[in-house]
Amino acid sequence: MSIRSFGDKLFDFFNYTVVTLFALACLFPFFYVASFSVTPYSEYLQNPLKLIPSQIELSAYKQILQMPLMWTGYKNTIIITIVGVAINIFLLIISAYPLSKKDLKGRNVIMVLITFTMFFNGGLIPNFYLIKTLDIYNTLWAMILPGALGAYNLILMKNFVSAIPESLEESAFIDGANEIKVLFRIIVPLCKPAIATFVIFHAVTQWNTFFSAIIYTSRRSLWPLMLILREMVVDDGGITKDAMDMNNTGVTVFTIKMAIIIFATLPILLVYPFLQKYFMKGVLVGSIKG
């Protein structure tokens, strides 16, 4: 057993302190919003810096549960996220596997073209014209297909697949497996850390999408949750009148805004713990192997 010096212990203490302070700084805004979403507004006015409420007031959550637009946004966002992640992972797998083969003809040219898209694109107006031409304007597909396959994620996935020993594939071929069986029975199971990582990346991106909805939709019934959140929190759209109708509950526009933020962000936060064990392994291996 190695003996750690005082300098090593001091270095570890410094690292833990910095990381802990950084984590607290990241958690504080979320805790602040969560706290004041259940704090009576009268108590907030008395002490705006009090983070632990003396009593819990859930009327703001009851209020937003009665807003039909919130549930419409939830439905649209769930569809966009699930379908978008499924398409993204499928395209990553079927694209990264052949690109990991060194004997693929034109492999370098394809990689150059993929990398080119990371730095240059047509711009907003050509993209809008493309969406209109494909006849997916004012559909949920307009928020799913444009970001279905990212060049950066594809490169990471390709590097991860390249790190898998070729002997495993050769053994499968000797046993009579074809390329499809090798891909889905050997490569995919071994890529679980990378797949879990990209599920997190793309799910968070799709859950938080709102700009594409502004550009590619004109119907409120197609708005994702984050666009509704933006309208209600920034512009007070749809909540002022409802909040003022609840005179004796302590609910105001402020507390409803806090509750809406928690209501909209909590589901995607709950997904991360189930995939966290794969997260670091997937990112590190995919980024350093090539």
Side-chain angles (χ1 to χ4, degrees):
M1 181 180 296
S2 61
I3 300 176
R4 297 178 59 81
S5 65
F6 174 77
D8 292 334
K9 294 179 180 178
L10 183 63
F11 181 72
D12 289 344
F13 174 78
F14 176 79
N15 284 339
Y16 280 118
T17 301
V18 172
V19 170
T20 301
L21 292 176
F22 180 76
L24 292 175
C26 293
L27 289 174
F28 177 77
F30 184 80
F31 181 74
Y32 176 90
V33 172
S35 176
F36 285 111
S37 69
V38 296
T39 300
Y41 191 62
S42 58
E43 183 177 341
Y44 167 76
L45 292 177
Q46 294 175 1
N47 188 358
L49 298 179
K50 184 180 180 180
L51 295 180
I52 307 297
S54 58
Q55 64 182 41
I56 303 297
E57 176 60 69
L58 298 177
S59 297
Y61 289 94
K62 296 178 182 178
Q63 179 71 8
I64 63 176
L65 290 176
Q66 298 173 8
M67 298 179 181
L69 191 60
M70 290 295 297
W71 294 109
T72 301
Y74 250 107
K75 181 193 71 174
N76 293 335
T77 296
I78 290 173
I79 293 173
I80 292 170
T81 301
I82 294 177
V83 176
V85 169
I87 294 176
N88 175 258
I89 297 302
F90 177 75
L91 292 178
L92 278 177
I93 292 172
I94 65 173
S95 302
Y97 179 61
L99 288 174
S100 67
K101 304 302 178 185
K102 297 180 180 179
D103 57 350
L104 176 67
K105 294 182 179 180
R107 175 174 176 264
N108 293 334
V109 175
I110 295 173
M111 290 304 303
V112 169
L113 294 176
I114 292 173
T115 305
F116 181 83
T117 64
M118 296 175 60
F119 303 99
F120 303 96
N121 61 72
L124 183 59
I125 295 176
N127 287 336
F128 179 83
Y129 182 74
L130 175 63
I131 296 297
K132 292 283 287 188
T133 303
L134 294 175
D135 199 25
I136 58 175
Y137 180 78
N138 266 337
T139 67
L140 294 180
W141 290 111
M143 290 167 275
I144 296 174
L145 295 181
L149 184 63
Y152 179 74
N153 288 352
L154 178 58
I155 292 173
L156 291 181
M157 189 69 175
K158 189 269 295 184
N159 291 341
F160 193 97
V161 175
S162 299
I164 298 176
E166 295 182 2
S167 57
L168 295 176
E169 300 178 46
E170 294 172 355
S171 299
F173 288 135
I174 292 175
D175 292 336
N178 55 27
E179 294 283 357
I180 301 299
K181 288 184 178 181
V182 170
L183 174 60
F184 289 101
R185 293 189 178 182
I186 296 179
I187 303 300
V188 172
L190 292 175
C191 289
K192 284 183 179 179
I195 292 174
T197 300
F198 296 127
V199 165
I200 294 176
F201 283 168
H202 203 67
V204 171
T205 300
Q206 293 290 64
W207 187 272
N208 291 327
T209 184
F210 76 94
F211 183 74
S212 58
I214 296 176
I215 304 300
Y216 303 134
T217 63
S218 59
R219 302 175 185 170
R220 290 171 66 91
S221 60
L222 295 175
W223 281 10
L225 188 60
M226 289 303 157
L227 184 53
I228 296 172
L229 176 66
R230 174 187 175 276
E231 183 190 56
M232 291 186 172
V233 173
V234 177
D235 301 327
D236 294 345
I239 66 173
T240 304
K241 181 179 181 300
D242 294 333
M244 292 301 116
D245 289 340
M246 304 184 67
N247 295 321
N248 299 319
T249 61
V251 176
T252 65
V253 174
F254 175 81
T255 54
I256 290 181
K257 284 181 178 182
M258 299 295 103
I260 288 174
I261 293 173
I262 298 300
F263 189 70
T265 57
L266 189 60
I268 195 65
L269 292 177
L270 296 178
V271 173
Y272 179 79
F274 296 99
L275 301 175
Q276 189 269 341
K277 64 179 180 180
Y278 300 109
F279 185 76
M280 289 305 299
K281 182 179 179 181
V283 172
L284 292 178
V285 175
S287 61
I288 64 177
K289 297 289 183 179

